[in-house]
């Protein structure tokens, strides 16, 4: 049921340097604010190398999002491995993963949401959009699978509620509206699961 994820293309050492530099710059400064000249300079490569490895800035942005998502999915898998038995605690492990991930990896919120917001309306054919959508559908599907394993009455509706709590928390992290939004979201998620 879970949304399939793209297989990551192996990177050359130059490609890895480009992706690492672009990832840091895109997340810290924004996609539009960072040009290929800046990325190439930070990576210690030529613009030709950047284009040879990725083809376009848009493809590099998608690669940035995909590689970041792969790291997040690995982190989620590690958290889920700590709670192998089906039940509410396994559902809540997604929030635990977000808590342990967000300070170091997402102080400005979700890279996918930020990219989607930055690309904006009127660019519906931009390759970022399907990638962002895929990432969010994947997480919703994971929540639904975990809710089904936990035998909640309506796994889809509960998964949607979990997703709303999660997404609200990650946006709150990026906006710095208040402290520890994932811990608060986890508390409300636990309360919701306890009612089932």
């Amino acid at each position: 049921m879970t949304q399939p994820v793209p297989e990551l293309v192996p990177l050359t050492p130059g490609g890895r340097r480009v992706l690492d530099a672009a990832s840091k710059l895109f997340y810290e400064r924004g996609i539009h604010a960072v040009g290929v000249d800046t990325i190439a300079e930070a990576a210690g490569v030529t613009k030709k190398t950047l284009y040879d490895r990725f083809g376009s800035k848009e493809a590099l942005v998608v690669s940035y999002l995909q590689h970041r998502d792969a790291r997040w999915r690995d982190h989620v898998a590690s958290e889920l491995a700590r709670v192998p038995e089906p039940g509410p605690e396994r559902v809540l492990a997604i929030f635990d993963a977000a808590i342990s991930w967000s300070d170091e990896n997402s102080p400005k919120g979700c890279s996918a949401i930020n990219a989607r917001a930055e690309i904006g309306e009127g660019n519906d054919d931009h390759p970022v959009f399907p990638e962002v959508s895929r990432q969010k559908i994947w997480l919703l599907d994971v929540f639904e699978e975990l809710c089904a394993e936990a035998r909640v009455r309506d796994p889809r509706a509960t998964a949607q509620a979990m997703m709303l709590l999660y997404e609200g928390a990650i946006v709150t992290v990026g906006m710095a509206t208040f402290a520890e939004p994932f811990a608060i979201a986890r508390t409300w998620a636990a309360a919701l699961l306890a009612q089932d």
Side-chain angles (χ1 to χ4, degrees):
M1 177 200 284
T2 301
Q3 191 75 358
V5 296
E7 190 170 327
L8 299 177
V9 177
L11 296 170
T12 64
R16 170 51 63 191
R17 287 196 309 275
V18 168
L19 182 62
D20 289 347
S23 296
K24 185 175 188 314
L25 291 165
F26 287 153
Y27 189 75
E28 289 177 358
R29 298 185 194 175
I31 293 165
H32 289 314
V34 177
V36 292
D37 289 324
T38 303
I39 296 166
E41 183 180 340
V45 301
T46 64
K47 276 196 332 187
K48 182 180 181 326
T49 299
L50 185 152
Y51 285 116
D52 285 349
R53 299 301 181 272
F54 294 94
S56 67
K57 182 180 175 183
E58 289 77 15
L60 179 56
V61 171
V62 171
S63 187
Y64 146 67
L65 293 172
Q66 289 174 340
H67 280 80
R68 196 173 157 85
D69 179 60
R71 286 180 36 238
W72 162 242
R73 284 184 282 108
D74 287 346
H75 188 72
V76 167
S78 294
E79 283 295 327
L80 289 174
R82 293 174 203 225
V83 188
E85 295 301 315
E89 286 302 312
R90 192 159 160 82
V91 178
L92 296 173
I94 302 296
F95 293 94
D96 295 333
I99 290 166
S100 59
W101 169 271
S102 66
D103 284 349
E104 184 176 330
N105 295 287
S106 294
K108 293 185 169 204
C110 176
S111 57
I113 292 171
N114 294 347
R116 173 65 177 89
E118 193 173 349
I119 300 304
E121 298 302 320
N123 292 311
D124 293 342
D125 59 344
H126 197 286
V128 160
F129 290 177
E131 176 56 25
V132 169
S133 179
R134 181 206 56 79
Q135 290 182 20
K136 297 306 179 179
I137 292 169
W138 175 84
L139 187 58
L140 178 61
D141 289 348
V142 169
F143 270 127
E144 185 173 1
E145 285 179 13
L146 295 174
C147 288
E149 289 173 5
R151 300 189 185 280
V152 300
R153 274 174 289 184
D154 189 341
R156 185 67 176 179
T158 305
Q160 289 169 342
M162 297 295 121
M163 192 71 180
L164 287 171
L165 287 167
Y166 173 90
E167 291 296 316
I170 191 97
V171 169
T172 301
V173 166
M175 301 295 292
T177 311
F178 54 82
E180 300 183 358
F182 277 118
I184 294 167
R186 187 192 193 283
T187 298
W188 284 100
L192 187 62
L193 291 165
Q195 292 175 9
D196 207 274

